[in-house]
Amino acid sequence: MTLFDLSGRVALVTGGNGGIGLGIARGLAAHGAGVMVAGRDPAKNAEAVARLRQLGARAHAVEADLAQEAGCEAIVARASETFGRLDILVNNAGTNIRKQPQDYTLEEWRTVIDTNLTSAFLCSRAAYRHMRDVGGGKIIMIGSMTSLFGLPFAPAYSASKGGIVQLAKALASAWAADNIQVNAILPGWIDTELTRRGRAQIQGLHERVEARTPAGRWGLPDDLAGAAVFLAARASDFITGTALPVDGGYAAQG
Ligand code: NDP
């Protein structure tokens, strides 16, 4: 096996039916992994599977609400039953509710925290046994620039993305002895459904991001594939508990 070859490996990508998750799923599939994508929308799931199969990938989808414990347990079980093993988990499913902190309800807070942070814990917990049984595994958390900075209109989102980096460190420390590496990717501003909604809501956001990003553009879902393949592959076997910005330099510029 070469450093970046994922042949024979099986990946579960939460929120893999669109946006960043699908960009990552495409990258993993192109390097040989079988891929299970998980999301709530059956039409998006079917479309994603069709696109992954066009790449020649072994691909399936599972419908689940990952804000629920049962949903997290079910997708891990399904991936492992369908492919006979589970090597890679990408905790990518996420959402945002944009409001000032003083206007946030507890229900809104819980929706964002459950979807972005608690689901990552629950899916990782469920995946642990399967990875240990095959001699190791890779867990990739999807953080954000809000893992580093706070956004005034996204208190729960910022808290969830800060938490996910610390969760990666805790799991990395706990499971290193089982040869499971846990790392986070921190995407910059990427053009997806999520941020299209954000740009419709927050005036001037598109231009502000473009002006502040040294690369001079918004990212695309496929920009995340390289880092994900690296963190899913043998190439990163001695790397665990880290958080890697993939942001066109956004976080580097003061
Ligand atoms: P999208 O809205 O395009 O994708 C979100 C994905 O999550 C969809 O596949 C959606 O599927 C799934 N999802 C959301 N809620 C649930 C749920 N309760 N149960 C199951 N699946 C769910 O957004 P992005 O691709 O932009 O976001 C992907 C990740 O990247 C998120 O964690 C986001 O926070 C993060 N991120 C995004 C950035 C960006 O600029 N776009 C920047 C930094 C981080 P479905 O609707 O079918 O349930």
Side-chain angles (χ1 to χ4, degrees), residues 14 38-41 45 62-75 93 95 111 114-116 119 122-123:
T14 73
R40 291 163 303 182
D41 183 331
N45 284 349
V62 53
E63 192 182 320
D65 180 359
L66 302 177
Q68 307 294 328
E69 184 174 15
C72 297
E73 301 277 345
I75 63 162
T95 193
T111 297
D114 287 353
T115 306
N116 296 5
S119 77
L122 293 171
C123 291

Side-chain angles (χ1 to χ4, degrees), residues 10-197:
V10 171
L12 169 61
V13 184
T14 73
N17 65 16
I20 288 175
L22 184 55
I24 288 175
R26 275 200 296 263
L28 299 177
H31 286 74
V35 180
M36 176 71 77
V37 298
R40 291 163 303 182
D41 183 331
K44 278 164 62 185
N45 284 349
E47 169 74 18
V49 167
R51 289 177 64 181
L52 290 165
R53 287 185 180 163
Q54 275 166 12
L55 296 173
R58 296 171 295 138
H60 294 274
V62 53
E63 192 182 320
D65 180 359
L66 302 177
Q68 307 294 328
E69 184 174 15
C72 297
E73 301 277 345
I75 63 162
V76 169
R78 178 75 75 83
S80 152
E81 280 158 24
T82 304
F83 289 99
R85 60 186 292 144
L86 179 62
D87 307 275
I88 301 156
L89 168 66
V90 183
N91 285 310
N92 162 80
T95 193
N96 196 1
I97 297 173
R98 298 173 192 85
K99 278 182 166 188
Q100 290 290 313
Q102 62 274 24
D103 299 328
Y104 240 75
T105 66
L106 180 57
E107 195 186 351
E108 289 165 339
W109 172 270
R110 284 189 174 138
T111 297
V112 175
I113 296 289
D114 287 353
T115 306
N116 296 5
L117 180 59
T118 309
S119 77
F121 164 66
L122 293 171
C123 291
S124 302
R125 187 183 70 179
Y128 167 72
R129 177 174 59 81
H130 298 282
M131 293 181 174
R132 190 197 53 199
D133 289 351
V134 295
K138 303 279 190 178
I139 298 177
I140 301 170
M141 307 287 188
I142 303 301
S144 154
M145 291 296 98
T146 64
S147 301
L148 306 170
F149 315 114
L151 279 180
F153 52 81
Y157 187 86
S158 302
S160 72
K161 294 300 187 180
I164 210 154
V165 168
Q166 297 307 111
L167 177 62
K169 291 178 190 171
L171 300 184
S173 308
W175 296 341
D178 297 300
N179 191 30
I180 297 170
Q181 287 84 47
V182 188
N183 291 288
I185 292 174
L186 312 184
W189 294 85
I190 314 297
D191 181 21
T192 66
E193 256 180 51
L194 184 76
T195 49
R196 263 170 245 147
R197 287 196 299 271

